[in-house]
Amino acid sequence: MTTVMGGSTTIIPVINLEATRLCGDMEEQKQPSGGPHFVGKRDELIAEKRSFRTLEGRDILIIHHQDVFYAIDSYCYHNGGLLQNGDIEEIDGKMCIICPNHKYKITLAEGEGIYKGKNPRENPPVARWFSKGLKQRVHTVTESNGDVYVKLSDDKSMIDSDYYQGEKGKVAREAAEASRKKSEGDADR
C-alpha cells in the first residue's frame, strides 16, 4: 500500500492531458459526490507521473513523486498558472512544486506557500524559508488493490487557489494566459 499524505497513503499530483482525454469516460460516469473518486490505476499514474482530472467541477493535478501520490488544485493560487509543468524540488525538507509562471513554491503535502527571505532584525540577517500559510487546496489520495482514488478536501474555509476554480477565476486565467502569450510574442520581435 502506498503511503498517503495527511493520512495513511502518500499523495502525489500528476498531470497528463492525453491520459485525461483517454479517461474522459471516467468523468461521464457519475461518481458519487463527496466520496472518493476513482482517478486511475496505480501503475498507469506512476508511468504518467502527472495527471489532470476534473472531479465535481474542480480541476485537480495528481502527482506521483518518489513513491508518493499527491493531489492538489491544478491552478497556482497566485495567478492561476497551470502547475502541471512545474518542477518538483525538496525545499527545507518539504516536497514542493514550483509554478512555472512566476516561480511560486507550494508544498505538495499541505499546500503551504513558502518563500526565502531575511529577517532584517537578525544580526547578521540570514536567508531562510518562511511560510505564507495555506494557499493551495490539497486533496486526499488513497489506493486500494491497485486503484487510486481522490477525495476532495471537505475544508469549507476559503483558500487562495479556490478563486481559480470558479467562473471569475477562469476569466482571470484566460486573461493572464493571453497576456503571457502577448509578452512572449513581443519578446520574439
Side-chain angles (χ1 to χ4, degrees):
M1 177 174 212
T2 303
T3 303
V4 175
M5 301 308 295
S8 62
T9 304
T10 303
I11 302 170
I12 298 183
V14 179
I15 295 181
N16 181 319
L17 295 178
E18 180 60 26
T20 300
R21 284 190 282 281
L22 296 174
C23 295
D25 293 340
M26 260 193 329
E27 289 181 38
E28 291 174 17
Q29 299 170 4
K30 294 294 181 189
Q31 302 232 8
S33 178
H37 300 277
F38 173 76
V39 293
K41 293 290 191 182
R42 181 181 196 280
D43 293 341
E44 294 168 0
L45 293 173
I46 289 172
E48 293 170 4
K49 294 187 174 74
R50 301 178 189 206
S51 298
F52 179 91
R53 299 288 188 275
T54 300
L55 306 175
E56 296 181 37
R58 190 169 201 99
D59 295 334
I60 306 297
L61 176 61
I62 303 156
I63 298 170
H64 183 266
H65 184 75
Q66 294 182 348
D67 204 33
V68 177
F69 282 101
Y70 301 93
I72 63 173
D73 282 357
S74 61
Y75 308 112
C76 179
Y77 72 90
H78 165 246
N79 200 26
L82 281 172
L83 293 173
Q84 67 191 24
N85 295 321
D87 291 334
I88 297 177
E89 296 180 13
E90 183 175 337
I91 299 174
D92 202 30
K94 299 176 182 180
M95 295 311 300
C96 298
I97 190 161
I98 301 170
C99 179
N101 289 6
H102 299 107
K103 308 305 179 207
Y104 277 58
K105 289 134 181 86
I106 304 162
T107 64
L108 289 173
E110 297 89 16
E112 176 184 24
I114 61 173
Y115 68 99
K116 196 167 202 171
K118 294 180 182 181
N119 182 345
R121 294 187 177 125
E122 292 177 347
N123 190 8
V126 177
R128 60 186 175 102
W129 291 99
F130 293 90
S131 174
K132 297 178 184 179
L134 184 60
K135 298 292 187 179
Q136 195 79 19
R137 190 168 296 276
V138 296
H139 309 280
T140 304
V141 178
T142 56
E143 179 187 351
S144 177
N145 299 319
D147 292 339
V148 178
Y149 299 86
V150 171
K151 181 177 184 322
L152 296 177
S153 170
D154 56 7
D155 183 347
K156 302 295 182 212
S157 61
M158 183 72 168
I159 298 173
D160 291 8
S161 67
D162 292 343
Y163 175 78
Y164 292 101
Q165 294 289 338
E167 282 305 311
K168 287 182 182 178
K170 180 179 178 183
V171 171
R173 287 193 323 264
E174 291 169 354
E177 182 64 17
S179 176
R180 185 186 66 76
K181 286 181 179 178
K182 183 181 183 318
S183 295
E184 287 175 357
D186 290 345
D188 290 342
R189 292 183 198 186

